[in-house]
């Protein structure tokens, strides 16, 4: 291979590894195409909501109402505790 012209080596490499390159490009494309901001859930979301309430409506009376799911329950308990601690 040392005596082979550079163009032949690149063509052979592209021919042998072309499918790998195509698959890699597809993976990158679909990763970027499906990239979306994610919403926080549970206790993490409660912290964000508590900080926003403290900043925008200090001392306000707040009613925390959620659906009956487990994740929603964790959110409500954490938010209630954070708001009670903040006063």
């Amino acid at each position: 291979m040392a005596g082979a012209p550079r163009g032949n080596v690149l063509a052979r490499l592209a021919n042998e590894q072309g499918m790998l390159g195509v698959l890699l490009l597809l993976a990158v494309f679909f990763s970027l195409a499906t990239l979306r901001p994610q919403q926080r859930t549970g206790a993490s979301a409660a912290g964000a909501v508590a900080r926003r309430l403290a900043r925008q409506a200090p001392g306000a009376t707040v009613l925390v109402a959620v659906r009956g799911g487990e994740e929603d329950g964790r959110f409500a308990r954490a938010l209630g505790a954070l708001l009670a601690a903040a006063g």
Side-chain angles (χ1 to χ4, degrees), residues 65-74 76-77:
V66 296
R67 296 177 295 195
E70 184 179 323
E71 189 73 25
D72 295 330
R74 283 195 297 267
R77 285 187 297 278

Short mmCIF file of all heavy atoms in Angstrom, two decimals, residues 65-74 76-77:
data_model
loop_
_atom_site.label_atom_id
_atom_site.label_comp_id
_atom_site.label_asym_id
_atom_site.label_seq_id
_atom_site.Cartn_x
_atom_site.Cartn_y
_atom_site.Cartn_z
N ALA A 65 -52.24 22.04 43.68
CA ALA A 65 -53.19 21.02 43.24
C ALA A 65 -52.54 20.18 42.14
O ALA A 65 -52.02 20.73 41.18
CB ALA A 65 -54.46 21.68 42.71
N VAL A 66 -52.55 18.88 42.32
CA VAL A 66 -51.94 17.97 41.33
C VAL A 66 -52.86 16.80 41.07
O VAL A 66 -53.82 16.56 41.80
CB VAL A 66 -50.56 17.45 41.83
CG1 VAL A 66 -49.58 18.59 41.99
CG2 VAL A 66 -50.70 16.69 43.12
N ARG A 67 -52.55 16.06 40.02
CA ARG A 67 -53.27 14.81 39.74
C ARG A 67 -52.82 13.75 40.73
O ARG A 67 -51.95 13.98 41.55
CB ARG A 67 -52.98 14.36 38.31
CG ARG A 67 -53.49 15.34 37.27
CD ARG A 67 -53.13 14.89 35.90
NE ARG A 67 -51.66 14.92 35.77
CZ ARG A 67 -51.01 14.87 34.64
NH1 ARG A 67 -51.66 14.73 33.53
NH2 ARG A 67 -49.72 14.91 34.61
N GLY A 68 -53.37 12.56 40.61
CA GLY A 68 -53.10 11.51 41.59
C GLY A 68 -51.88 10.66 41.34
O GLY A 68 -51.68 9.68 42.04
N GLY A 69 -51.03 10.99 40.39
CA GLY A 69 -49.87 10.15 40.08
C GLY A 69 -48.77 10.25 41.12
O GLY A 69 -48.71 11.20 41.92
N GLU A 70 -47.89 9.26 41.13
CA GLU A 70 -46.79 9.22 42.09
C GLU A 70 -45.84 10.40 41.90
O GLU A 70 -45.42 11.03 42.87
CB GLU A 70 -46.03 7.90 41.93
CG GLU A 70 -44.92 7.71 42.94
CD GLU A 70 -44.21 6.39 42.76
OE1 GLU A 70 -44.87 5.39 42.44
OE2 GLU A 70 -42.99 6.37 42.96
N GLU A 71 -45.49 10.70 40.65
CA GLU A 71 -44.58 11.81 40.36
C GLU A 71 -45.22 13.13 40.78
O GLU A 71 -44.56 14.01 41.33
CB GLU A 71 -44.25 11.83 38.86
CG GLU A 71 -43.16 12.79 38.48
CD GLU A 71 -41.78 12.32 38.90
OE1 GLU A 71 -41.58 11.10 39.05
OE2 GLU A 71 -40.91 13.17 39.11
N ASP A 72 -46.51 13.27 40.53
CA ASP A 72 -47.22 14.48 40.94
C ASP A 72 -47.25 14.62 42.46
O ASP A 72 -47.13 15.72 43.00
CB ASP A 72 -48.65 14.47 40.39
CG ASP A 72 -48.67 14.54 38.87
OD1 ASP A 72 -47.75 15.14 38.28
OD2 ASP A 72 -49.61 13.99 38.27
N GLY A 73 -47.41 13.50 43.15
CA GLY A 73 -47.39 13.53 44.61
C GLY A 73 -46.05 13.98 45.16
O GLY A 73 -45.99 14.76 46.11
N ARG A 74 -44.96 13.49 44.55
CA ARG A 74 -43.62 13.92 44.99
C ARG A 74 -43.45 15.42 44.77
O ARG A 74 -42.89 16.13 45.60
CB ARG A 74 -42.54 13.14 44.25
CG ARG A 74 -42.35 11.74 44.76
CD ARG A 74 -41.05 11.12 44.27
NE ARG A 74 -40.99 10.97 42.83
CZ ARG A 74 -41.35 9.88 42.17
NH1 ARG A 74 -41.79 8.82 42.83
NH2 ARG A 74 -41.25 9.82 40.87
N ALA A 76 -45.87 17.72 44.69
CA ALA A 76 -46.71 18.46 45.65
C ALA A 76 -46.08 18.47 47.04
O ALA A 76 -46.05 19.51 47.71
CB ALA A 76 -48.11 17.86 45.70
N ARG A 77 -45.58 17.31 47.49
CA ARG A 77 -44.96 17.25 48.83
C ARG A 77 -43.72 18.12 48.90
O ARG A 77 -43.52 18.87 49.86
CB ARG A 77 -44.64 15.80 49.19
CG ARG A 77 -45.85 14.98 49.57
CD ARG A 77 -45.47 13.61 50.09
NE ARG A 77 -44.77 12.78 49.09
CZ ARG A 77 -45.38 12.08 48.14
NH1 ARG A 77 -46.68 12.08 48.05
NH2 ARG A 77 -44.67 11.35 47.31
#
